[in-house]
């Protein structure tokens, strides 16, 4: 790895240019120069290698099978049918023949080789989608409630989120010069970055927009959250602001923890950009640039206190945060199947297995969606739960789309489309993620097959239970908000975390550490049996575990649950 600190790499990069052009042109290796491996993240790409091939390549004295992941910046995950066809063609031409819907409503391509990286970036941009700031120490893809009902409130929510996403883009022209051959002009490398400055943020920064009663974005897992507040006519009047959510932690490191955000105040709609800018620049100036693992906004708040940070936001924006307005979240999952919007158009939410779309024997999902995109008169919406909404379908197109869904088995995202499977998420993990300690996406179907019979045995076959798997403690599938979570420790071994809720408002607790599949299933069998016998009417599994005293809130020093008084 590079001997330079990330802080130095950023400030020496001439606004994210570094030596990326030279690295891309170097034919001797499939990798980039070390510092460029950091810089390319800001352009929406990660250098990876196929970990399944690592040992074999080492034996053959070959360099690792370097390849690149590319992530789109698609606020709210809105993709037109024409764009879909282009993304699909990119995946099959340059990628590993799959599209991966992420937990933040982006598409990821995997397996792009260095030689084809630039042409792939150009193809993505030709679809009028960019990847700028999809990764790196900047504001990431903005999440927006994917509720397909398309009420006017949802349209307002999306418009605000898209506006904020644009507002927080870096000003550098490096992206356009490197990937799209934009001519360099005098001053390149010195573009003013009034929001980010030359060192950008201390760490990644995430923003989500939710609209009660649905918390599909898990708004409290974001550094900065906006909870839409509507008036009697159903129009958005403003937002409750939530500050300091985050999932990432390190095993056995008491200085790191997941955190649900604080609900810190209410703002009017027209104050959105000023307040968001004040929050981001406060984190820019107060965030910990000495220790990257403590550089997220959640630790800035914990270290300095919410009152201090709130005061700073008010001072910088010149806006006094009002008392938060009451709201209530019922659910943080997706609603599957057909729904009809207020305008009469139809929306179909499909469950995908850990967000992966590929053509597999018996489930040619990529081909099916290609056929649908060719005739769709609406749009696609990626959900923050790794699922897909085919939205805005006319009466006339509905029967054809319905028959395509059946023909291409798109209604069977998982082998057993049960309540458990539909709601479950798993992060990418192996073979592409360099940080994975255990399988996640590839393990999810097997684990579902093992857990479902246990639910069946206890009469819980269709009881909704929120399961999330992550291959390491970074928490990309937001496991710390799940009722049951497996967090990877080593190959085949996981920490079993229990007791989140189904609203994204309560963190779960470490129940058993570093256990294997047999032990996980035995533990869950016992607890689910007791839950089936002792639960109250409509009581969720996580709530039962707390009421029965089986678990308590986790012992982290700060925020673990959203205060009850905000739930009217
Ligand atoms: Fe993540 C790093 C995948 C959502 C917390 N995440 C990574 C990397 C890039 C691994 C790396 O740094 O080398 C993973 C690439 C895997 C691959 O091969 O594709 C990766 N993260 C993902 C995705 C694709 C998971 C998925 O299965 O969908 C999600 C992409 C979201 C997007 O479109 O932008 C993804 N990551 C998340 C989330 C969930 C969220 O944002 O709602 C989290 C927890 C929330 C948070 O940030 O606190 C998350 N990812 C992390 C962290 C821990 C950050 C921390 O505070 O410590 C890392 C590691 C890091 O940054 O050093 C990480
Ligand atoms: Fe990789 Fe860990 Fe994120 Fe999973 S949780 S994608 S293993 S960084």
């Amino acid at each position: 790895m590079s001997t330079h600190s990330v802080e130095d790499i950023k400030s020496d990069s001439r606004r994210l240019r570094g030596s990326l052009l030279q690295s891309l042109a170097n034919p001797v290796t499939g990798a980039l120069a070390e510092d460029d491996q950091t810089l390319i993240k800001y352009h929406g790409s990660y250098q990876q290698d196929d970990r399944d091939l690592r040992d074999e390549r080492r034996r053959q004295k070959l360099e690792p099978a370097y390849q690149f992941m590319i992530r789109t910046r698609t606020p709210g995950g809105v993709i037109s049918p024409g764009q879909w066809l282009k993304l699909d063609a990119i995946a099959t031409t340059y990628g590993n023949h799959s599209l991966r819907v992420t937990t933040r409503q982006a598409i990821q391509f995997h397996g792009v080789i260095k030689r084809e990286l630039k042409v792939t970036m150009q193809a993505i941009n030709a679809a009028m989608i960019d990847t700028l700031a999809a990764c790196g120490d900047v504001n990431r893809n903005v999440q927006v409630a994917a509720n397909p009902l398309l009420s006017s409130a949802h349209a307002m929510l999306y418009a605000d989120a898209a506006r904020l996403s644009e507002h927080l883009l870096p000003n550098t022209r490096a992206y356009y010069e490197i990937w799209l051959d934009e001519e360099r002009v005098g001053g390149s490398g010195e573009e003013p970055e009034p929001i980010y400055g030359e060192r950008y943020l201390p760490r990644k920064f995430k923003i989500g927009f939710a609209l009660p009663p649905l918390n599909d974005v898990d708004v409290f897992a974001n550094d900065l959250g906006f909870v839409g507040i509507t008036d009697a006519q159903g129009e958005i009047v403003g937002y409750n602001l939530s500050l300091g959510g985050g999932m990432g932690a390190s095993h056995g490191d008491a200085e790191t923890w997941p955190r649900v955000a604080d609900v810190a105040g209410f703002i009017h709609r027209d104050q959105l950009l000023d307040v968001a800018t004040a929050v981001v620049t406060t984190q820019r100036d107060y965030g910990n640039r000495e220790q990257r693992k403590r550089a997220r906004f959640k630790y800035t708040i914990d270290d300095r206190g919410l009152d201090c940070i709130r005061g700073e936001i008010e001072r910088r924006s010149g806006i006094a945060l009002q008392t938060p307005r009451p709201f209530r979240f019922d659910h943080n999952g997706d609603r599957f199947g057909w729904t009809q919007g207020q305008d009469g158009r139809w929306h179909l939410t499909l469950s995908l297995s850990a967000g992966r779309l590929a053509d597999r024997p018996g489930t040619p999902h990529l081909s099916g969606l290609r056929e649908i995109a060719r005739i769709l008169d609406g749009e696609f919406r990626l959900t923050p739960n790794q699922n897909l909404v085919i939205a805005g379908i006319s009466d006339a197109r509905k029967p054809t789309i319905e028959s395509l869904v059946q023909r291409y088995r798109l209604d069977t995202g998982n082998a057993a489309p049960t309540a458990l499977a539909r709601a479950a998420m798993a992060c990418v993990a192996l073979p592409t993620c360099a940080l994975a300690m255990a399988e996640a996406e590839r393990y999810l179907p097997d684990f579902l097959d093992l857990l479902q019979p246990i639910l069946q045995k206890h009469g819980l076959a269709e009881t909704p239970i929120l399961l999330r798997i992550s291959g390491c403690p970074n928490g990309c599938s937001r496991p710390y908000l799940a009722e049951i979570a497996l967090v990877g420790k080593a190959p085949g071994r996981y920490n079993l975390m229990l007791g989140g809720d189904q609203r994204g408002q309560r963190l779960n607790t470490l129940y058993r550490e570093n256990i294997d599949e047999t032990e996980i299933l035995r533990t869950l069998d016992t607890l689910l049996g007791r839950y089936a016998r002792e639960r109250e009417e409509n009581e969720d599994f996580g709530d039962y575990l707390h009421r029965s005293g089986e678990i308590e809130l986790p012992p982290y020093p700060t925020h673990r649950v959203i205060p009850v008084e905000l739930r009217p």
Side-chain angles (χ1 to χ4, degrees):
M1 261 292 128
S2 174
T3 50
H4 302 135
S5 74
V6 176
E7 288 299 306
D8 288 345
I9 294 172
K10 286 186 281 187
S11 49
D12 294 346
S13 71
R14 292 172 297 112
R15 302 287 190 270
L16 307 177
R17 288 170 177 82
S19 56
L20 269 168
L21 277 174
Q22 291 88 320
S23 270
L24 290 169
N26 179 354
V28 176
T29 166
L32 304 175
E34 284 182 349
D35 290 359
D36 294 330
Q37 291 172 29
T38 295
L39 291 176
I40 198 166
K41 297 178 188 178
Y42 298 76
H43 300 248
S45 177
Y46 265 72
Q47 178 178 309
Q48 304 182 318
D49 72 288
D50 187 332
R51 293 181 59 182
D52 285 347
L53 303 180
R54 258 188 206 174
D55 289 347
E56 182 55 28
R57 306 266 306 180
R58 206 175 289 133
R59 264 194 297 278
Q60 294 187 18
K61 301 202 167 22
L62 295 169
E63 73 171 13
Y66 291 121
Q67 53 180 45
F68 291 80
M69 174 270 271
I70 305 176
R71 187 183 285 166
T72 62
R73 185 179 64 91
T74 34
V78 180
I79 297 181
S80 72
Q83 289 176 324
W84 186 276
L85 290 172
K86 290 190 170 123
L87 297 183
D88 169 73
I90 293 165
T92 45
T93 311
Y94 305 115
N96 68 354
H97 294 247
S98 78
L99 290 172
R100 178 56 158 70
V101 177
T102 74
T103 51
R104 297 193 67 77
Q105 299 172 290
I107 289 281
Q108 279 190 187
F109 302 93
H110 289 103
V112 179
I113 55 170
K114 189 175 89 170
R115 233 185 13 253
E116 295 181 337
L117 196 50
K118 183 162 172 172
V119 68
T120 309
M121 289 293 221
Q122 291 181 336
I124 296 170
N125 278 273
M128 304 302 285
I129 289 177
D130 68 54
T131 66
L132 176 59
C135 316
D137 296 344
V138 281
N139 173 52
R140 302 294 192 86
N141 197 41
V142 177
Q143 287 179 322
V144 193
N147 188 309
L149 293 177
L150 297 179
S151 64
S152 58
H154 280 95
M156 289 163 94
L157 195 79
Y158 174 70
D160 285 348
R163 206 154 49 95
L164 183 55
S165 172
E166 285 300 305
H167 177 70
L168 293 177
L169 272 180
N171 283 333
T172 177
R173 299 306 297 173
Y175 183 85
Y176 307 94
E177 286 172 14
I178 292 171
W179 308 108
L180 306 178
D181 294 328
E182 183 181 275
E183 207 178 312
R184 282 197 72 167
V185 292
S188 283
E190 291 158 22
E191 299 93 324
E193 291 284 10
I195 296 181
Y196 290 118
E198 66 167 19
R199 289 193 296 163
Y200 297 84
L201 299 181
R203 203 70 165 80
K204 59 176 74 167
F205 193 88
K206 298 184 172 177
I207 298 180
F209 283 73
L211 192 58
L214 211 67
N215 185 20
D216 54 349
V217 302
D218 275 332
V219 70
F220 303 121
N222 283 274
D223 297 87
L224 170 58
F226 295 100
V227 178
I229 303 293
T230 47
D231 63 14
Q233 287 72 45
E235 307 276 293
I236 292 183
V237 290
Y239 294 100
N240 277 349
L241 202 67
S242 68
L243 301 176
M247 296 279 100
S250 305
H251 285 312
D253 182 346
E255 292 206 328
T256 65
W257 49 77
R259 185 181 195 279
V260 285
D262 290 282
V263 180
F266 170 84
I267 58 163
H268 292 285
R269 250 189 110 195
D270 60 1
Q271 298 172 326
L272 179 70
L273 296 190
D274 289 338
V275 169
T277 306
V279 175
V280 171
T281 59
T282 298
Q283 162 64 356
R284 178 195 67 199
D285 298 340
Y286 283 69
N288 186 336
R289 289 185 189 260
E290 306 298 318
Q291 277 180 292
R292 271 186 79 73
K293 67 170 189 173
R294 294 272 306 168
R296 291 296 294 272
F297 190 39
K298 60 182 174 179
Y299 302 118
T300 313
I301 293 178
D302 286 345
D303 291 346
R304 300 196 178 241
L306 181 63
D307 285 345
C308 159
I309 297 298
R310 193 197 279 117
E312 193 58 28
I313 294 165
E314 290 182 330
R315 193 183 65 74
R316 288 175 186 229
S317 63
I319 292 166
L321 302 182
Q322 299 176 19
T323 310
R325 304 268 171 101
F327 64 94
R328 184 192 159 81
F329 283 128
D330 289 344
H331 207 262
N332 64 347
D334 293 330
R335 298 294 187 213
F336 298 97
W338 289 96
T339 46
Q340 195 170 20
Q342 289 166 352
D343 58 358
R345 291 206 160 237
W346 292 93
H347 315 288
L348 174 63
T349 306
L350 299 171
S351 161
L352 312 179
S353 180
R356 184 72 68 177
L357 282 165
D359 280 350
R360 298 202 172 96
T363 53
H365 289 166
L366 209 53
S367 299
L369 286 162
R370 191 178 308 138
E371 292 305 316
I372 289 174
R374 287 193 177 125
I375 59 147
L376 179 62
D377 49 359
E379 64 192 15
F380 293 96
R381 285 180 168 237
L382 315 173
T383 85
N385 290 303
Q386 300 178 325
N387 295 315
L388 182 68
V389 185
I390 308 175
I393 304 165
S394 64
D395 276 336
R397 288 286 150 81
K398 184 171 179 262
T400 322
I401 289 183
E402 211 160 4
S403 73
L404 286 171
V405 164
Q406 273 157 29
R407 183 171 343 139
Y408 289 93
R409 309 292 310 278
L410 278 156
D411 50 350
T412 56
N414 299 284
T418 56
L420 179 74
R422 282 192 295 270
M425 293 209 289
C427 72
V428 177
L430 293 159
T432 53
C433 178
L435 307 177
M437 299 171 177
E439 296 279 355
E441 178 184 324
R442 296 196 295 197
Y443 181 47
L444 179 66
D446 299 343
F447 188 71
L448 289 170
D449 284 350
L450 294 167
L451 189 55
Q452 190 60 30
I454 294 176
L455 293 174
Q456 184 97 31
K457 180 174 90 179
H458 296 301
L460 300 169
E462 270 305 312
T463 304
I465 294 181
L466 186 57
L467 165 74
R468 293 177 175 177
I469 304 180
S470 273
C472 84
N474 283 319
C476 298
S477 60
R478 300 188 290 274
Y480 308 111
L481 290 168
E483 293 179 289
I484 301 175
L486 309 188
V487 177
K489 215 32 212 199
R493 301 187 79 85
Y494 298 85
N495 283 355
L496 177 63
M497 321 270 310
L498 298 175
D501 63 12
Q502 292 188 24
R503 296 170 194 82
Q505 298 196 162
R506 184 176 63 219
L507 292 177
N508 58 20
T509 306
L510 176 60
Y511 189 75
R512 295 284 309 277
E513 205 172 346
N514 196 20
I515 56 175
D516 65 12
E517 183 178 85
T518 312
E519 203 51 37
I520 294 168
L521 292 169
R522 191 182 306 145
T523 309
L524 289 176
D525 191 5
T526 307
L527 293 173
L528 288 164
R530 278 185 17 213
Y531 167 58
R533 286 190 301 276
E534 298 169 8
R535 71 180 166 149
E536 291 176 351
E537 206 182 333
N538 294 326
E539 188 175 31
D540 293 333
F541 183 49
D543 295 344
Y544 162 77
L545 291 173
H546 278 277
R547 182 181 57 80
S548 66
E550 188 62 39
I551 56 167
E552 292 176 352
L553 285 174
Y556 313 128
T558 60
H559 244 66
R560 298 159 296 173
V561 63
I562 294 295
V564 172
E565 63 268 24
L566 292 169
R567 296 182 246 160

